[in-house]
Amino acid sequence: MLELNVIRREPEKVKAGLRKRNWKEEDLGIVDRILALDEQRRKLQTQRDELLAQSNKLSKQIGQLFKQGKREAVEALKAQVTTIKATLKELQERKAALDTQLEALLLSLPNIPHPSVPAGSSDADNEIYKDWSGALPQLPATAQPHWELAKQYGIFDLELGAKLTGAGFPVFRGQGARLERALINFFLDEARAAGYEEIQPPLLVNADTARGTGQLPDKEGQMYYIEKDELYLIPTAEVPITNIFRDAIVPASALPIKMAGYTPCFRREAGSYGAHVRGLNRVHQFDKVEIVQIAHPQHSYEVLEEMLAYVSSLLDKLELLYRIVKLCGGDLGFTAALTYDFEVWSAAQERWLEVSSVSNFETYQANRMKLRFRDGQKKTQLAHTLNGSALALARVVAALLEQNQEPDGIRIPQVLVPYTGFERIVRS
RNA sequence: GGAGGAGUGGCCGAGUGGUUGAAGGCACCGGUCUUGAAAACCGGCAGGGUCGAAAGGCCCUCGGGGGUUCGAAUCCCUCCUCCUCCGCCA
């Protein structure tokens, strides 16, 4: 949620941000509507507060008079307060209505893109931030996409998942399951070495938590919802981990706070069709290690760089080819100010697969969560939140399988061997 | 799931209708003292909204919501959470 005082102070900047997100001119009026509502709300509140002050004062007097036993005076004042209360009730109702309206409008406003975010309407307009420098490898003509390899080597089984649950729920088996577990452990160990506290959060969250990071109300349809208990399955560990600090005030000296956690992620997303969703390209449940940082506003972009370097180091260690893409205004998520995607080269599919998304949300999430820090004096200030996948497993597995396929098996990157306990995946 | 108990500021804890946004203690911050530190002493120390150039004023918040009352941390209703016992269970 954008800060109201930012909208008050710089409405034009907010509108410019919305334009970058390709909002139509006629929709920008929301900013003015918010300002108008805010103005009304403040007026109403001033009136209300004055009446409350009067009534509080009279009530205190009544208390004193009562002690002195002045019954008639008490009755007269009581009548006065009752009159005030009647007016007050009406004001309260109007204010509550305004508050609700204002809140709804504020929730519907996305974050303002960082100045460096390129213009554009779709992923085709994203800027290549760091390209793969070498030549893309040519696999032999016999090379298989990962879903074929999965069948040959018994790595995962989507049909079996469909039997147990439905489409998009892979069942990993044998060496495939061990590879999955190896990657999770590798990523967690790396994160710990980089100074992240390991977190194991709940996989189900309540509405307050889902709202805090911005999944509600914007992306309600993307989450699985358990109606009976009013709980949501997490689409990413970002949600519970960032919300650890919801309604918290931390000392400035504690920043940056670094946390990492492994969780399965659940996505209902309708998705597209065809080859782009085959195999592990797009599934309803996948594993991911997420890194989250809570940073001082002055340093959050340095932190973002640090996170980029960290994710790069993981991909380097896994010997995967990747590039980094800076998302354009049209592709940028609702809550992010700046996002870099990491895309890994899927050799057999001859396309780039997104394996990580690293974002700075500035104060957008913090404002919803009331996540603040206390600076030098007494004042509290909203912190910046950042997160990134480090990494999303399913697609990393897809790329690893394809890139490392050899006639007699699939080679495991050196760094993973201590985790898998085997050097090759072979036909069973 | 059943029965009982409890939820007060960063923590402990007093407070059962009238200057209580809340005693006292701990922690923390500043100061005095000290060569320095500790101890002792003095002072400060909730968040938010709103008005104001500022100083400061006013309003809201004692688990959440609603109600009774001129007035509620204190009474009533409801929901949530935690604890104890029983049941069930990985």
Side-chain angles (χ1 to χ4, degrees):
Chain A
M1 201 151 68
L2 287 179
E3 294 169 75
L4 196 46
N5 63 43
V6 169
I7 304 175
R8 265 185 224 150
R9 227 173 24 230
E10 304 176 280
E12 285 313 312
K13 189 174 149 191
V14 174
K15 286 185 188 174
L18 294 176
R19 281 193 195 94
K20 204 170 209 176
R21 286 180 178 272
N22 305 307
W23 279 45
K24 299 193 200 95
E25 277 310 305
E26 61 260 35
D27 293 333
L28 299 184
I30 186 176
V31 175
D32 303 304
R33 253 182 301 143
I34 286 173
L35 289 174
L37 278 179
D38 176 47
E39 179 111 20
Q40 284 179 48
R41 190 196 110 250
R42 279 146 74 196
K43 256 186 208 144
L44 222 52
Q45 189 182 329
T46 308
Q47 288 176 35
R48 184 201 69 154
D49 286 355
E50 276 166 9
L51 287 180
L52 275 172
Q54 273 183 45
S55 124
N56 286 345
K57 210 188 258 174
L58 288 174
S59 291
K60 272 180 191 163
Q61 283 179 30
I62 290 174
Q64 283 161 8
L65 291 172
F66 200 82
K67 277 183 183 163
Q68 296 163 16
K70 298 181 178 168
R71 294 304 270 272
E72 312 82 52
V74 165
E75 290 309 317
L77 287 187
K78 274 190 189 179
Q80 270 190 54
V81 177
T82 308
T83 319
I84 293 174
K85 286 278 157 154
T87 326
L88 206 49
K89 195 177 175 202
E90 191 252 348
L91 277 180
Q92 299 271 42
E93 278 162 13
R94 273 168 59 199
K95 183 174 177 294
L98 272 180
D99 286 345
T100 311
Q101 272 184 62
L102 188 59
E103 171 89 358
L105 288 182
L106 283 172
L107 282 173
S108 68
L109 224 46
N111 203 352
I112 303 173
H114 186 266
S116 76
V117 168
S121 56
S122 76
D123 56 0
D125 301 311
N126 291 341
E127 175 187 309
I128 310 288
Y129 178 73
K130 190 182 162 219
D131 208 352
W132 172 250
S133 51
L136 293 172
Q138 291 298 306
L139 291 181
T142 54
Q144 306 283 315
H146 69 271
W147 53 87
E148 293 297 340
L149 295 168
K151 273 187 190 150
Q152 289 166 26
Y153 291 92
I155 293 164
F156 65 85
D157 189 335
L158 278 163
E159 281 161 29
L160 184 54
K163 170 186 166 184
L164 301 178
T165 308
F169 290 89
V171 178
F172 287 88
R173 306 190 74 157
Q175 285 186 300
R178 289 167 71 187
L179 173 61
E180 193 78 3
R181 181 158 56 88
L183 281 164
I184 292 166
N185 284 332
F186 168 64
F187 291 145
L188 283 174
D189 284 351
E190 290 288 309
R192 192 186 53 213
Y196 291 89
E197 181 194 359
E198 184 172 332
I199 307 281
Q200 250 190 65
L203 307 182
L204 291 159
V205 295
N206 59 31
D208 283 342
T209 297
R211 194 176 303 108
T213 29
Q215 276 66 32
L216 288 181
D218 337 317
K219 299 179 195 155
E220 176 136 36
Q222 287 197 26
M223 286 187 292
Y224 288 97
Y225 178 54
I226 296 170
E227 201 166 346
K228 197 165 183 185
D229 300 291
E230 297 179 59
L231 294 173
Y232 297 85
L233 268 82
I234 57 170
T236 156
E238 159 200 350
V239 178
I241 292 181
T242 315
N243 272 280
I244 288 174
F245 286 89
R246 172 155 50 87
D247 288 319
I249 300 172
V250 300
S253 59
L255 301 176
I257 294 167
K258 302 171 75 171
M259 298 171 286
Y262 152 71
T263 68
C265 302
F266 303 92
R267 307 263 170 111
R268 284 189 67 228
E269 59 201 324
S272 71
Y273 55 89
H276 281 203
V277 301
R278 288 197 70 175
L280 297 179
N281 288 350
R282 185 170 297 189
V283 284
H284 289 306
Q285 178 181 330
F286 60 94
D287 291 311
K288 180 158 64 64
V289 172
E290 183 80 359
I291 51 175
V292 172
Q293 291 212 36
I294 295 164
H296 192 290
Q298 276 174 5
H299 303 301
S300 68
Y301 281 94
E302 296 159 35
V303 166
L304 186 64
E305 289 298 321
E306 176 206 311
M307 289 168 78
L308 288 184
Y310 173 71
V311 173
S312 300
S313 76
L314 294 180
L315 291 169
D316 289 337
K317 286 177 186 172
L318 290 175
E319 304 161 40
L320 287 169
L321 311 194
Y322 64 95
R323 63 178 190 182
I324 306 175
V325 165
K326 188 189 255 188
L327 298 195
C328 73
D331 208 20
L332 194 63
F334 194 85
T335 51
L338 181 59
T339 297
Y340 293 97
D341 275 1
F342 281 74
E343 297 179 337
V344 154
W345 181 247
S346 162
Q349 300 179 69
E350 299 193 318
R351 53 184 284 248
W352 296 96
L353 292 178
E354 181 191 331
V355 291
S356 175
S357 200
V358 183
S359 306
N360 189 350
F361 302 89
E362 298 191 358
T363 60
Y364 193 89
Q365 294 182 327
N367 190 35
R368 286 191 178 194
M369 285 189 287
K370 299 289 166 269
L371 193 184
R372 292 147 296 167
F373 69 94
R374 203 182 298 278
D375 59 18
Q377 290 79 41
K378 275 182 60 179
K379 282 196 180 158
T380 62
Q381 215 186 116
L382 291 172
H384 281 191
T385 60
L386 303 95
N387 67 54
S389 351
L391 290 159
L393 279 257
R395 292 176 186 163
V396 166
V397 168
L400 276 179
L401 296 179
E402 291 174 8
Q403 185 182 300
N404 299 337
Q405 57 184 303
E406 288 165 2
D408 57 341
I410 297 168
R411 190 177 54 80
I412 298 296
Q414 269 312 307
V415 71
L416 277 185
V417 172
Y419 290 93
T420 54
F422 51 82
E423 294 189 355
R424 317 180 65 75
I425 297 177
V426 294
R427 289 183 178 80
S428 44

